Amino acid sequence: MTPQRQLVIDAVRDLGHATPEQICARVQRAAPAVNITTVYRTLDLLERLGMVRHTHLGHGAPTYSEQEHQHVHLVCHSCGSVSEAPTDLMDDLAERLLRESSFELDVTHVALSGRCADCPDDHRTADDEEIR
Amino acid sequence: MTPQRQLVIDAVRDLGHATPEQICARVQRAAPAVNITTVYRTLDLLERLGMVRHTHLGHGAPTYSEQEHQHVHLVCHSCGSVSEAPTDLMDDLAERLLRESSFELDVTHVALSGRCADCPDDHRTADDEEIR
DNA sequence: CTATGTGCAAATCTTTTGCATGCCC
DNA sequence: GGGCATGCAAAAGATTTGCACATAG
């Protein structure tokens, strides 16, 4: 366990869910010399150790969060905000998938996409707004 | 409507769901001169026109499919296979999200992740296997 | 001494942009 | 001629790799 690794863990914990870039920026506030390469390598390592997990939020960037930090991500593709919902929302679905398709759902790995409460239902299609 | 655009539409239809790269390769079988830039631009255009949609399958690459081709994608993060399930699987969930979180779910935009019927439950974590 | 972690630079891959050309009306 | 679509080359952004150095055990 090196200082860099500890900093990455702290950053992941503090940020909740963040991209490698954001994590790197955070780490560099404490230790400017830390290279982004190290952040990538460390995230990879921590993930293999089961200490962090990553989730795909839709538009390319994977985000990392603590392993324990389990919830379903709801991404608004109009405003880009990410909110969280309890994983038991998915329990029924998970059960049905297992029964009907023998598919064992990993609830936390992928974000659900849609429009959040704050965004009006204008008629642009959702993807027009997606951050690239 | 140019020949290139028709070819892209055909490729999207034929391939079901495919990345821009795959679509480009397919198009180039018929017209080798077509540039990948054109594929990207055309997909963008077709998407704005509502003729195709794209879905995030988890590991970075977005895949494009016909607009009408509505279903939920199930991605196995052990073997990488993509299967499809009827969207009404998600109806209950969508309703609950709307009621409890005022979140209007877009069922088709994001793939669900998990382990498919064919993959044994070994104890590597799912993400170890994720295609990068 | 050996193994491992780190920083740096460069390579790679994907996607986007700028620009010149060509075609259609 | 004006506008739009295309191809090409280059840029941009994200991630990975090779390598040399340092440090710990």
Side-chain angles (χ1 to χ4, degrees):
Chain A
M1 179 55 54
T2 66
Q4 287 89 334
R5 289 180 181 173
Q6 188 58 55
L7 286 169
V8 169
I9 293 171
D10 292 346
V12 168
R13 182 163 308 142
D14 290 352
L15 295 172
H17 40 78
T19 64
E21 296 262 297
Q22 293 170 323
I23 291 165
C24 184
R26 178 72 164 222
V27 167
Q28 288 179 341
R29 277 175 26 191
V34 174
N35 196 279
I36 190 161
T37 306
T38 302
V39 173
Y40 278 107
R41 281 190 286 226
T42 303
L43 287 172
D44 219 61
L45 173 72
L46 294 177
E47 193 162 23
R48 254 190 310 264
L49 293 177
M51 299 182 63
V52 306
R53 58 166 58 234
H54 79 266
T55 303
H56 297 280
L57 254 38
H59 47 274
T63 66
Y64 289 78
S65 53
E66 293 177 87
Q67 180 69 8
E68 296 76 26
H69 195 230
Q70 292 234 352
H71 47 241
V72 178
H73 293 92
L74 304 176
V75 179
C76 175
H77 47 204
S78 182
C79 71
S81 70
V82 179
S83 53
E84 299 166 359
T87 55
D88 56 13
L89 260 181
M90 307 283 279
D91 286 351
D92 289 349
L93 174 65
E95 196 193 320
R96 277 189 68 185
L97 281 174
L98 191 57
R99 196 153 20 87
E100 297 174 17
S101 309
S102 298
F103 187 86
E104 193 178 320
L105 182 63
D106 174 2
V107 170
T108 64
H109 187 65
V110 176
L112 298 175
S113 189
R115 183 171 36 241
C116 72
D118 298 336
C119 284
D121 183 358
D122 56 28
H123 271 160
R124 279 166 291 169
T125 74
D127 294 342
D128 290 353
E129 299 295 326
E130 191 158 286
I131 301 152
R132 300 232 154 180
Chain B
M1 179 56 54
T2 66
Q4 286 90 334
R5 289 179 182 173
Q6 189 59 54
L7 286 169
V8 170
I9 294 171
D10 292 345
V12 168
R13 183 163 307 142
D14 290 353
L15 294 171
H17 40 77
T19 65
E21 296 263 297
Q22 293 170 322
I23 292 165
C24 185
R26 178 71 163 223
V27 166
Q28 288 179 341
R29 277 175 26 191
V34 173
N35 196 282
I36 191 160
T37 306
T38 302
V39 173
Y40 277 106
R41 281 190 286 227
T42 303
L43 287 172
D44 219 62
L45 174 71
L46 294 176
E47 194 163 22
R48 256 190 309 264
L49 294 176
M51 299 181 63
V52 306
R53 58 167 55 235
H54 79 265
T55 303
H56 298 280
L57 252 39
H59 47 273
T63 66
Y64 288 78
S65 54
E66 292 177 86
Q67 179 69 8
E68 296 76 28
H69 196 229
Q70 292 232 351
H71 47 241
V72 179
H73 293 93
L74 304 176
V75 180
C76 176
H77 48 205
S78 182
C79 71
S81 70
V82 179
S83 53
E84 299 166 359
T87 54
D88 55 14
L89 260 181
M90 307 284 278
D91 286 351
D92 289 349
L93 174 63
E95 196 192 321
R96 277 188 70 184
L97 280 174
L98 191 56
R99 194 152 23 85
E100 297 173 17
S101 309
S102 298
F103 187 85
E104 193 178 319
L105 182 63
D106 175 2
V107 169
T108 63
H109 187 65
V110 176
L112 298 175
S113 189
R115 181 169 39 241
C116 73
D118 298 336
C119 285
D121 184 359
D122 58 27
H123 271 162
R124 279 165 292 168
T125 73
D127 295 341
D128 289 353
E129 299 295 325
E130 191 159 285
I131 300 151
R132 300 233 153 176

